[in-house]
Amino acid sequence: MIIKNAVLVDWRGVRRGELIIKDGVIAEQGGTGDIIDGTGLYVMPAFVDLHAHLRTPGQTHKEDIASGTRAAVRGGYTALNAMANTVPVCSDAEIAREVCEQARALGRCDVFQSVSVTRDFDGVTVSHLDGLDGTEGFIRCISEDGRGVKDGGVFLEALRRAERFGKALLVHAEDADFSGIDMYAAEDLETARDLYIVEMYCGRYGRERLKVHFCHVSTEYSARAVIAAKRRGLPVSLEVTPHHIALSDSVDFRVNPPLRREEDRAFLVKAVLDGEVDAIATDHAPHTETEKKSGAPGLVGLETAFQVCYTTLCRLNGLPLSRLSELMSLNPARILGINKGSLDAGADGDVVLVDLERETIVDSSEFFSKGRNTPFDGRTYFGGVVMTIKNGEVVYDER
């Protein structure tokens, strides 16, 4: 495949030229092949989502692998990391393998399945993590997402196993003792505690393979704490979500963590602009209309993430498009340890063609996801995904 007449953008910058994909990977040169005319479009590495809920197994009335991966490629994503709060909880490597094999059979989008930190979210048992050796093909992370790890000693044991088996530990920082009292305190207290334990662990046991990633950081206090820990050299990273950088608590929509005050939103944007944020992740969380009306927290985000981020960060705040590519593609791929996220020769041939001048009014009735729960419905954003290519094969084409 040869893409001509487009502008190429990745973390290295912006340039003109043709892009060649040969044998599923990006190549420096090649022979003849299918030619795609990219006139007026930008070619970027396809996006990688560290944080999505695909509701499989057990909640496929909300989403399944087929609908979730269709939504992903429509949004320009070719790799997803799925969370473990399924039914049953994904605490077993075989469950994870089955989920990923379903996605592999469809061929649209790579799916990696996180395994819960504690078995069945019981808050105590971590012995199941001893079975993670040799699972790097389908398990890249462990996470208790949907809740925090309540016991600090259990969190320490999880760190040991994450490092031993080379898995990233994804942190949902929420102190359940404060969840019903003050959601600021719930996030900030657990963020501070977890960072202290990480620092203690690194000082006493080393950190050769340790990667700790803080999900959906939403408050200024927590963001500052993780940023300060990175500056001290701790092996930690943080993500923000499109909704936490685009919306504040003036919007009446329930997510977890909640939409925050305008001061927090503005600080997160500034942290992105200052290069302090590592990744943008969707926290894609589909619910039925009935469940949402009953108070279920979460939103669908795969099909709107690029437009929301490009408009909010690039058009309104001057973030270079190359930096957005780093946040949505390169850095998430590095955290997962996969060969995606750049236009370098030898990288997976996963790219997305986007029209930056397109004005899009979000219409949830057109979503490929089963979920319609979004606060962006009816809002206007710039940028549209025109085509998504995985390993040199077109998996989404709206032309």
Side-chain angles (χ1 to χ4, degrees):
M1 177 180 288
I2 304 172
I3 304 173
K4 294 179 175 288
N5 305 320
V7 179
L8 310 182
V9 183
D10 69 358
W11 69 284
R12 294 185 185 278
V14 180
R15 57 202 180 276
R16 289 194 173 272
E18 64 182 26
L19 186 77
I20 301 168
I21 303 175
K22 183 178 180 181
D23 298 326
V25 299
I26 295 172
E28 292 182 350
Q29 57 187 1
T32 58
D34 295 335
I35 295 177
I36 294 175
D37 183 5
T39 300
L41 303 177
Y42 287 71
V43 177
M44 303 173 68
F47 310 131
V48 176
D49 194 5
L50 283 166
H51 190 167
H53 300 264
L54 296 182
R55 307 306 192 195
T56 302
Q59 298 173 310
T60 53
H61 62 288
K62 301 184 183 188
E63 193 80 284
D64 56 36
I65 300 302
S67 63
T69 56
R70 287 183 70 228
V73 296
R74 185 177 185 237
Y77 287 88
T78 59
L80 305 177
N81 184 52
M83 295 297 103
N85 57 341
T86 53
V87 181
V89 175
C90 187
S91 301
D92 186 284
E94 286 310 306
I95 294 176
R97 187 192 302 272
E98 290 172 10
V99 169
C100 298
E101 286 181 350
Q102 286 184 47
R104 190 174 297 115
L106 292 170
R108 295 189 196 105
C109 178
D110 292 331
V111 172
F112 301 93
Q113 175 63 56
S114 296
V115 168
S116 62
V117 171
T118 65
R119 181 177 290 280
D120 300 325
F121 288 162
D122 69 3
V124 177
T125 309
V126 295
S127 57
H128 63 294
L129 299 178
D130 293 332
L132 293 181
D133 197 23
T135 60
E136 59 275 359
F138 53 98
I139 300 172
R140 297 280 172 161
C141 306
I142 62 175
S143 178
E144 204 87 334
D145 192 68
R147 66 197 68 209
V149 178
K150 185 173 179 60
D151 187 284
V154 173
F155 185 77
L156 177 62
E157 289 300 319
L159 289 178
R160 288 174 172 156
R161 286 163 171 81
E163 182 174 28
R164 182 192 310 167
F165 298 113
K167 311 298 182 185
L169 174 56
L170 272 54
V171 176
H172 175 113
E174 181 181 348
D175 185 330
D177 291 338
F178 282 86
S179 296
I181 302 171
D182 187 318
M183 285 299 287
Y184 270 90
E187 179 173 344
D188 294 343
L189 286 170
E190 190 132 325
T191 298
R193 185 207 71 172
D194 290 352
L195 287 170
Y196 181 89
I197 295 172
V198 170
E199 191 155 18
M200 178 190 73
Y201 179 91
C202 291
R204 294 184 183 177
Y205 306 106
R207 54 185 174 192
E208 183 178 350
R209 302 175 70 193
L210 187 63
K211 288 194 291 188
V212 181
H213 179 73
F214 284 77
C215 296
H216 46 48
V217 175
S218 68
T219 73
E220 179 177 348
Y221 180 96
S222 289
R224 285 187 183 278
V226 180
I227 291 166
K230 287 200 301 176
R231 290 175 178 170
R232 294 197 301 275
L234 295 184
V236 297
S237 53
L238 75 150
E239 73 187 36
V240 296
T241 70
H243 47 281
H244 285 118
I245 60 172
L247 305 174
S248 67
D249 60 5
S250 62
V251 175
D252 183 18
F253 194 91
R254 187 165 183 239
V255 289
N256 188 26
L259 297 176
R260 302 297 192 176
R261 294 182 297 244
E262 174 59 22
E263 302 96 293
D264 296 280
R265 188 203 69 81
F267 181 82
L268 295 181
V269 170
K270 182 179 184 301
V272 171
L273 298 178
D274 290 346
E276 304 284 11
V277 171
D278 299 284
I280 293 173
T282 68
D283 198 5
H284 176 82
H287 293 293
T288 66
E289 184 178 1
T290 299
E291 290 164 336
K292 194 63 186 170
K293 286 180 178 178
S294 298
L299 54 77
V300 287
L302 288 168
E303 294 168 79
T304 57
F306 175 72
Q307 291 94 324
V308 171
C309 292
Y310 171 68
T311 302
T312 303
L313 296 172
C314 299
R315 290 188 77 103
L316 296 180
N317 286 284
L319 184 76
L321 189 60
S322 57
R323 173 64 178 145
L324 183 60
S325 178
E326 186 176 4
L327 291 163
M328 296 186 70
S329 301
L330 181 72
N331 287 349
R334 285 178 170 172
I335 291 167
L336 289 179
I338 58 178
N339 187 34
K340 301 183 190 294
S342 79
L343 300 181
D344 293 344
D348 287 356
D350 293 14
V351 299
V352 59
L353 281 69
V354 298
D355 180 353
L356 298 183
E357 297 305 316
R358 177 186 300 173
E359 238 179 313
T360 303
I361 300 176
V362 176
D363 183 352
S364 62
S365 69
E366 297 178 350
F367 283 176
F368 286 2
S369 170
K370 290 183 180 181
R372 301 289 181 266
N373 47 305
T374 173
F376 298 118
D377 211 12
R379 294 175 182 264
T380 300
Y381 295 97
F382 282 90
V385 173
V386 175
M387 181 182 293
T388 305
I389 295 165
K390 183 180 186 299
N391 298 127
E393 300 289 336
V394 176
V395 290
Y396 172 75
D397 186 355
E398 69 158 33
R399 296 177 304 171

